[in-house]
Amino acid sequence: MTHRDIAWRSFGGALFLMGAVIGLNDRAGSGSFPGLAGFLVALFGFVLIVQGKRVPAALRIERSRHKGLPQSIHARRRRRPENRNG
């Protein structure tokens, strides 16, 4: 695991803890906005813990104009004939 991946996972852990604290500070089940915000922050932190540096890379790809490139490459490879040798 690279230092960059560890940094993103650590940031995810911090977000998860911050979201849990926000959620717990929202008085047990009042259903207000801080509770929902805490849940969303904790959820995003959990995703960062599990996926690490792939999450920022995926978000960067989604914002770029080349987001359809992997699908087009895959489709082109599927259209190739099975017999490539001859």
Side-chain angles (χ1 to χ4, degrees):
M1 195 178 316
T2 64
H3 291 291
R4 187 172 145 204
D5 197 33
I6 292 171
W8 279 109
R9 289 175 193 258
S10 300
F11 180 63
L15 280 178
F16 183 78
L17 288 175
M18 186 176 70
V21 167
I22 292 170
L24 290 175
N25 281 338
D26 184 38
R27 300 288 177 220
S30 65
S32 64
F33 179 73
L36 179 62
F39 174 74
L40 292 176
V41 168
L43 186 64
F44 187 68
F46 183 71
V47 169
L48 276 176
I49 291 171
V50 172
Q51 293 294 324
K53 67 181 178 183
R54 291 185 221 149
V55 173
L59 292 175
R60 220 174 15 251
I61 289 170
E62 280 299 316
R63 286 193 330 244
S64 77
R65 61 180 195 194
H66 301 292
K67 65 181 176 184
L69 186 61
Q71 289 87 4
S72 64
I73 290 172
H74 184 66
R76 186 181 304 161
R77 287 182 180 164
R78 281 192 303 176
R79 286 191 301 246
R80 287 185 186 169
E82 291 292 326
N83 188 2
R84 297 182 199 170
N85 292 334

